[in-house]
Amino acid sequence: SPKLSMLGVHPEGHGSKASGQKLSVGFGPDCPNYAQIAVAASGGWAWGKRVGVTAADSGKDALKNIMVEAVRVVIEERRCAVLDCLI
């Protein structure tokens, strides 16, 4: 976990007393957008999309379309694709 990694390096640091929620590693209604974290970590090389956030991108048709796009990115553009599905 990110918190355990941080504690291994800075066991007495400011984050040592913070909850997982404050470190953005908790699960819940306000979880991080992991797809965009992957895009940022790759310097924009990876493709990322979150699905299920709004009515416009929720449902099986939206999921199917986004999965088709993710596969296209991997096959044609030869990039990593990260799909973050909220249920």
Side-chain angles (χ1 to χ4, degrees):
S1 86
K3 183 167 184 170
L4 292 178
S5 297
M6 177 200 56
L7 290 173
V9 178
H10 303 287
E12 305 291 324
H14 293 291
S16 67
K17 293 171 184 59
S19 69
Q21 199 66 12
K22 287 190 176 194
L23 295 172
S24 296
V25 297
F27 293 100
D30 297 323
C31 61
N33 187 330
Y34 295 108
Q36 291 308 303
I37 291 171
V39 171
S42 72
W45 178 79
W47 176 94
K49 180 70 176 173
R50 185 179 232 187
V51 64
V53 181
T54 65
D57 68 358
S58 62
K60 67 179 184 179
D61 290 336
L63 178 59
K64 180 181 175 187
N65 292 338
I66 292 169
M67 289 180 76
V68 167
E69 176 64 12
V71 170
R72 185 198 66 75
V73 166
V74 171
I75 293 173
E76 293 179 11
E77 298 180 20
R78 304 187 79 58
R79 296 191 296 150
C80 172
V82 178
L83 185 55
D84 189 7
C85 300
L86 300 179
I87 53 172

